[in-house]
Amino acid sequence: MFSTPLVIQVYKYMSLQEDHLGTGVWHMQQTSVEQLKQHAIELRKTAVTMVYEAQSGHPGGSLSAADVISALYFREMNVDPANPKWEDRDRFVLSKGHVAPIQYAALALRGFVSNESVYTLRQYGSPFQGHPDMKKCPGIDISTGSLGQGLSCAVGMAIAGQRDEKDYRVFAMVGDGECQEGQIWEAIQAAVKYKLDNLIVFVDNNRLQIDGFCEDVMPLLDLEKKFDAFGFDTTRIDGHSMEQIVETLDTFAKQKNGKPKCIVCDTVKGKGVSYMEDQAAWHGTAPNKEEFELAIKELEGGLPV
Amino acid sequence: MSVTKKAVEKKATRAAFGDEIVRLGESNKDIYVVDIDIGKSCKTDKFIEKFPMQHINVGIAEQNGAGIAAGLATTGKIPFISTYAVFGSLRMAEQIRQEVCYPNLNVKIACSHGGLTPGNDGGSHQAIEDMGVMRSFPNMTVIMGADYHSTRKLIAEAAAMYGPVYLRFTRDAVPMIYDENETFEIGKAKQLRDGADIAIIANGDTVRLAIEAAEQLEQNGVSVKLLDMHTIKPLDVDAVKDCLDIGRIITVEDHNILNGLGSAVAEVIAEAGKGQLARIGVQDRFGESAPYEKLLEINGITVENIIAKANKLLTN
């Protein structure tokens, strides 16, 4: 569906500034794909800095997920940083909870939490736990961390929205390695049974897990075909192409046809930091000072697309 | 309290769930039931018929059922997951820990076929570890009512409180002990008798055995204090401490002697540093296909063994 490059200039975007005024009035703002790309770079820098400061955390998957997260938080999701528990908000479930740093970075840039506070990642007393904790951190819709479980929670949220005739949508991100968990497929069955077209699942298909390539550890075969066979509306995109992400969210994801949606995003683990790219070793390793400085320098140079 | 003398009528406490959940569903549209295929057996059929929009059936997928319940709870629903105790406590144990207890969500796990009551199904289906597992999770409340009416009241209390609750019911019919006006408070033992020589602390389907044993002991001049400890977590520690002056305590449960009621009471007694304890329960071994009463007998969960343990403590 993306044989022709799309030129998408502007997108609606809820104004951060208005949120901070606490007026409760939402103002539409235009955000360009270029701005979303810039936000993604900022998110990557923040996430890498958090992991560096903590000397602990998961940079690889944070970097592969960054572009989708940017599109969701700065364009797509109807959320209110001043009222994170707003009952009509769109929900986001980070089923691959170990990449919490990239979500924390988005929560900071979006105004849920202060920019400085996220650097307390993994410290005692911090809201920014090693894995997302809804009791401690505003903007986290469900605590996750044990792989395979978050998608079920997203299904529960989507069923509630459907039964209550709410307009909110539930976005979930699962890892490809995470799809080795049987519970993922239980959740998928239920999403199809209950016709949850308010559920949009992103697969961060970065092809790596702790022990190496998914293909070697436990092959997942073609996830697009598998979701499709289970009854999802499914598409596959370049998960680092903001144009493709935005186009998919604008069209494919908005179809109210009684079917849940799956977007398989082909991504690169460690995307944007050359020495981390496609390296399983950077799944859960913190950079040292030299590595960190190089990472920031590369990220500031922008992402080659 | 008044013990019903005509203790002939029997009802399974899973029937109490089936009836009470309908009453709760009528008054609160946020009450949901998450079935895991075995709704008929778990007595949710009336609820399904009356409130289809408050009902979900996830099929044979316990882990997903627990996660969906957690997701529902984040939106303000009060989901009751309904399944058998062996699956509700073990097949979904990690999901309950991660997605229910850790975020302290308002999910209730309502389980039929507790303890040895699924006798003829065999050891695979008898839940002897469930309350111990659930007791280990922070934020979790763990309850087993002794009869139909007490179970209904405790289910209502569980629905009214915020937070995760594990409720365990019998598959088999057990005698009606309480009348329907009796009140129950979660975390507060129900004293059935006061006495000075022996304290018996029982829960669930063994309370009936403890009542009978206490009656026979009284006939032989032994004064018995008897507690229905329907909530093993949070344990009514004060009620246990009040037994310490008697100093001779017997626990009775349809659960492994490890990690259940007997262990919870033992913790209080050990820390107090006084009193003797005898624990009656499943002898740390798996069951097998047999009538429920037979399984109780081979584990010594009997009126006779309660009396024997009492006499032994009295002669120490």
Side-chain angles (χ1 to χ4, degrees):
Chain A
M1 69 187 276
F2 295 104
S3 52
T4 309
L6 296 163
V7 180
I8 300 167
Q9 297 292 336
V10 289
Y11 296 98
K12 66 181 182 184
Y13 163 48
M14 301 304 183
S15 161
L16 284 179
Q17 291 73 22
E18 288 301 326
D19 299 342
H20 290 305
L21 291 173
T23 59
V25 179
W26 291 92
H27 283 241
M28 307 303 273
Q29 191 175 318
Q30 310 283 310
T31 305
S32 68
V33 164
E34 286 310 313
Q35 282 173 295
L36 293 174
K37 290 178 181 175
Q38 283 305 313
H39 285 321
I41 291 170
E42 287 307 310
L43 299 184
R44 284 185 165 92
K45 283 167 58 185
T46 304
V48 168
T49 307
M50 288 166 76
V51 173
Y52 170 67
E53 293 286 344
Q55 278 301 294
S56 172
H58 296 83
S62 291
L63 294 170
S64 65
D67 298 297
V68 169
I69 296 284
S70 175
L72 287 176
Y73 275 93
F74 300 99
R75 176 182 172 279
E76 191 65 19
M77 287 204 300
N78 193 14
V79 291
D80 182 357
N83 185 10
K85 291 188 186 301
W86 175 39
E87 63 177 27
D88 293 332
R89 73 187 183 282
D90 287 338
R91 269 74 173 170
F92 179 68
V93 175
L94 187 62
S95 198
K96 46 177 292 183
H98 54 281
V99 305
I102 201 70
Q103 188 181 13
Y104 296 151
L107 291 174
L109 196 57
R110 190 71 175 80
F112 283 86
V113 297
S114 77
N115 285 321
E116 302 73 34
S117 63
V118 293
Y119 299 115
T120 62
L121 175 73
R122 292 179 172 238
Q123 289 178 23
Y124 178 68
S126 171
F128 309 103
Q129 296 288 296
H131 297 79
D133 183 342
M134 68 186 292
K135 305 300 286 180
K136 291 188 164 71
C137 182
I140 300 295
D141 292 317
I142 184 80
S143 305
T144 54
S146 180
L147 292 175
Q149 301 190 17
L151 189 56
S152 298
C153 302
V155 169
M157 294 172 190
I159 290 173
Q162 182 194 63
R163 298 270 171 105
D164 291 344
E165 297 179 349
K166 299 262 192 193
D167 289 332
Y168 71 73
R169 294 186 294 163
V170 181
F171 297 91
M173 177 176 280
V174 301
D176 51 349
E178 184 182 9
C179 291
Q180 291 162 356
E181 289 279 7
Q183 191 184 341
I184 289 288
W185 303 95
E186 296 182 0
I188 288 166
Q189 289 174 165
V192 172
K193 173 187 173 183
Y194 287 104
K195 301 180 166 55
L196 302 178
D197 56 16
N198 56 352
L199 175 69
I200 295 105
V201 180
F202 293 90
V203 179
D204 186 18
N205 196 33
N206 65 27
R207 303 175 297 114
L208 283 166
Q209 58 192 108
I210 290 184
D211 277 355
F213 283 99
C214 301
E215 183 65 27
D216 299 324
V217 177
M218 182 52 66
L220 289 149
L221 308 181
D222 187 330
L223 284 170
E224 184 185 6
K225 281 187 188 163
K226 284 169 83 171
F227 272 83
D228 184 67
F230 273 71
F232 268 59
D233 266 350
T234 308
T235 190
R236 185 167 190 155
I237 64 172
D238 175 349
H240 299 307
S241 162
M242 196 60 77
E243 288 83 358
Q244 291 190 23
I245 294 168
V246 161
E247 165 69 8
T248 305
L249 285 169
D250 259 7
T251 54
F252 172 79
K254 287 195 167 60
Q255 301 171 81
K256 300 297 282 182
N257 59 359
K259 292 174 81 175
K261 309 290 180 286
C262 172
I263 305 168
V264 177
C265 300
D266 289 321
T267 56
V268 174
K269 199 155 185 165
K271 177 72 176 179
V273 178
S274 58
Y275 60 87
M276 290 187 184
E277 290 189 359
D278 280 334
Q279 299 297 315
W282 285 99
H283 171 87
T285 309
N288 64 26
K289 189 165 185 295
E290 293 70 34
E291 290 163 337
F292 167 67
E293 285 168 356
L294 178 59
I296 294 299
K297 191 176 162 196
E298 288 188 11
L299 288 169
E300 285 177 342
L303 289 177
V305 176
Chain B
M1 95 116 250
S2 56
V3 174
T4 309
K5 284 296 166 197
K6 47 169 179 113
V8 282
E9 196 187 348
K10 287 183 168 187
K11 262 189 180 179
T13 59
R14 62 174 157 161
F17 174 63
D19 293 340
E20 187 62 23
I21 198 69
V22 170
R23 195 188 71 79
L24 291 167
E26 265 161 7
S27 55
N28 187 348
K29 68 174 178 51
D30 284 333
I31 297 281
Y32 271 54
V33 167
V34 178
D35 263 324
I36 299 171
D37 184 49
I38 42 182
K40 276 196 190 74
S41 180
C42 295
K43 303 295 175 192
T44 56
D45 41 346
K46 278 179 282 183
F47 185 94
I48 299 168
E49 197 185 316
K50 292 192 85 163
F51 315 110
M53 293 305 284
Q54 290 161 246
H55 177 257
I56 290 160
N57 193 334
V58 301
I60 308 165
E62 288 81 6
Q63 304 168 97
N64 187 43
I68 286 180
L72 288 168
T74 65
T75 71
K77 309 297 181 200
I78 307 169
F80 280 73
I81 303 169
S82 175
T83 181
Y84 293 164
V86 71
F87 308 130
S89 63
L90 297 172
R91 189 60 176 265
M92 56 172 76
E94 201 220 339
Q95 286 73 16
I96 292 170
R97 179 192 186 269
Q98 302 287 359
E99 302 299 348
V100 175
C101 291
Y102 180 53
N104 195 28
L105 290 170
N106 199 16
V107 173
K108 320 299 173 187
I109 299 111
C111 292
S112 178
H113 291 47
L116 297 168
T117 67
N120 49 16
D121 285 329
S124 62
H125 280 55
Q126 292 154 12
I128 58 169
E129 318 89 340
D130 58 331
M131 297 177 86
V133 170
M134 290 295 132
R135 194 166 79 91
S136 302
F137 295 156
N139 295 332
M140 182 60 92
T141 294
V142 183
I143 296 171
M144 185 177 195
D147 77 344
Y148 176 84
H149 288 305
S150 62
T151 299
R152 281 195 68 160
K153 293 287 168 59
L154 288 161
I155 293 165
E157 292 292 311
M161 68 167 268
Y162 182 88
V165 180
Y166 181 78
L167 292 148
R168 186 208 222 203
F169 315 125
T170 64
R171 185 196 70 172
D172 292 34
V174 291
M176 308 276 263
I177 295 168
Y178 301 101
D179 71 46
E180 64 182 323
N181 298 316
E182 197 69 42
T183 59
F184 293 84
E185 195 181 330
I186 290 172
K188 196 88 182 134
K190 178 66 92 181
Q191 183 168 304
L192 294 167
R193 273 180 185 276
D194 201 6
D197 299 327
I198 286 278
I200 304 176
I201 304 175
N203 71 357
D205 48 309
T206 66
V207 172
R208 66 191 171 94
L209 304 175
I211 290 171
E212 204 179 321
E215 282 168 0
Q216 291 188 29
L217 284 164
E218 292 275 355
Q219 282 166 15
N220 291 319
V222 179
S223 170
V224 179
K225 177 168 176 157
L226 175 55
L227 299 179
D228 171 359
M229 194 64 83
H230 47 75
T231 310
I232 69 160
K233 185 187 177 184
L235 187 72
D236 188 345
V237 172
D238 289 340
V240 176
K241 284 183 174 167
D242 285 344
C243 299
L244 293 176
D245 286 339
I246 297 172
R248 290 172 291 272
I249 300 168
I250 300 170
T251 57
V252 194
E253 61 192 313
D254 179 2
H255 187 278
N256 200 348
I257 52 163
L258 304 180
N259 303 332
L261 171 67
S263 295
V265 168
E267 288 159 14
V268 176
I269 293 173
E271 286 191 353
K274 62 189 229 187
Q276 297 179 73
L277 174 67
R279 291 175 298 154
I280 294 175
V282 176
Q283 297 300 299
D284 197 23
R285 67 179 181 200
F286 290 113
E288 59 188 291
S289 285
Y292 159 59
E293 295 289 349
K294 176 69 181 173
L295 292 166
L296 291 178
E297 185 193 320
I298 61 177
N299 282 286
I301 309 170
T302 60
V303 172
E304 294 71 29
N305 194 34
I306 297 170
I307 292 169
K309 287 278 193 298
N311 287 330
K312 188 159 182 250
L313 285 174
L314 285 164
T315 54
N316 275 356

